[in-house]
Amino acid sequence: MFKTVYNWIDERLDITPMWRDVADHEVPEHVNPAHHFSAFVYCFGGLTFFITVIQILSGMFLTMYYVPDIINAYYSVEYLQTKVAFGQIVRGMHHWGASLVIVMMFLHTLRVFFTGSYKAPREMNWVVGMLIFFIMLGLGFTGYLLPWDNKAYFATKVGMEIADTVPYIGPYVKELLQGGEIVGAQTLTRFFAIHVFFLPAALLAMLGAHFIMIRRQGISGPL
Amino acid sequence: MSKPHENEHNPHGPTARKEMSRRQFLSYTLGGASAFMIGGAALPMVRFAVDPLLQKKTDSDYVKVVEVSKLTAEPQEFNFEVLQVDGWYESKPTMTAWICKDEKGILALSPTCKHLGCTVSWNNNEKFKDQYFCPCHGAHYTKEGKQLAVARAPLDEYKVKVSEDGFVYLGSKQSNTRVQ
Ligand code: HEM
Ligand code: FES
């Protein structure tokens, strides 16, 4: 059944070379844990991506119930967590995944650092990786405000005061981030937009660049 | 791994047990493991998304609306508030009922047009004297809510209870019990 549908499409569009080019390539021995167990360190990049996919999916589903409004945000999160079937699981995936993605990214960065993979010709991919790192921090920072509980509110206040300490431009940065003079209604809508539209879009673009470069340059050689 | 000629010499022919190839074994185990992992992540999210379909629906409580003595044979419009729980948002929207009293008892009709949900009123169009009329696409109904044009069902009615001290209480909506 699947084969017939696939063949029908393939006859018309010749799709085999497309996915072959993306998926069908050899895993060098030095990155294959079946050959050298210590090669498991090469898994952290893929694990980071796996958790990112989970974040995006669980986030999309959370958005079915969540409202970015100071009166209702807290109650909508409380409702989706306590009244909706599997709400605790789906919110849990997003909540714990947000921390785990940082851990995986850190381990991946350590692997790249200690295998020297950032060296020529892969310097650009290190820079893109750093941009991904900052986008992730931004997602964590903006997402943390969304439940609009005390922890969320004061964490964001602290973040705003830190922004405020930047010489000269600090107060302006703070007001721009807050969308006003206080952490309030406009901060919440702004953080929501950044969290679910702007940063995920930037993240996907950077991940695309990251993977295209890896495909072009191949994985770095053995130590 | 089976040797190529083993099966040919086997007198039981194709019914004999064939060993699994390495490729088959790998696609089953990897496929199974992937399905398990994808399912484990996807099922909670899908169940989460369809939850509104599966939540228990509750009948609304009866609400005190008006004294029985104020009702007439002519339908009159009465407003009342009901508690509405919409997810995390509780509110008291105002509902409307057109209530009349005749020999068969008290009839409280909902003004939601059974064509596509606009709002009907009593006697609001001179062409349809003593009827409910909907301004959207011209559905009209008799005093008992029987559809005469456009709509395909009679107006819904509210469940009615009369208290001992003579008040009309209205509950949730149901399909019209007098006409079809
Ligand atoms: C790598 C990507 C992401 C990270 C690191 C991340 C991080 C976070 C964090 C830390 C929270 C607070 C969770 C809590 O306090 O329990 C949060 C909440 C939220 N996020 Fe994300 N997020 C990501 C992607 C997304 C995406 C793509 C969407 C939507 C399309 C999304 C939608 C939401 C929503 C609606 C909430 C509020 C609900 C809640 O607090 O449980 N997130 N996010
Ligand atoms: S909605 Fe009333 S006539 Fe169409």
Side-chain angles (χ1 to χ4, degrees), chain A residues 50 57-58 61 64-65 67 72 75-76 79 83-87 89-90 93, chain B residues 37 40-52 55 86-89:
Chain A
F50 175 70
L57 286 177
S58 58
F61 280 90
M64 286 189 172
Y65 293 93
V67 271
N72 292 303
Y75 296 107
S76 69
Y79 178 80
K83 298 276 161 51
V84 179
F86 286 101
I89 305 281
V90 178
M93 291 183 353
Chain B
M37 283 177 66
L43 287 181
M45 295 193 273
V46 170
R47 178 63 182 81
F48 179 80
V50 302
D51 193 60
Q55 288 226 348
D86 177 13
W88 56 90
Y89 182 66

Side-chain angles (χ1 to χ4, degrees), chain A residues 112-132:
Chain A
V112 170
F113 183 76
F114 283 110
T115 55
S117 309
Y118 55 86
K119 292 177 192 168
R122 299 188 175 78
E123 310 93 314
M124 276 171 67
N125 229 357
W126 176 268
V127 173
V128 168
M130 282 299 117
L131 293 178
I132 292 175

Side-chain angles (χ1 to χ4, degrees), chain A residues 52 55-56 59-60 62-63 66 77 91 94-95 98 101 136 139-140 143-144 146-147 151 192 195-196 200 203:
Chain A
T52 303
Q55 286 308 99
I56 292 175
M60 283 164 59
L62 286 174
T63 318
Y66 177 79
V77 174
R91 184 172 182 218
H94 204 73
H95 178 101
V101 84
M136 288 291 186
L139 280 163
Y144 209 68
L146 302 184
K151 161 190 72 74
F192 179 71
H195 188 77
V196 307
L203 181 67

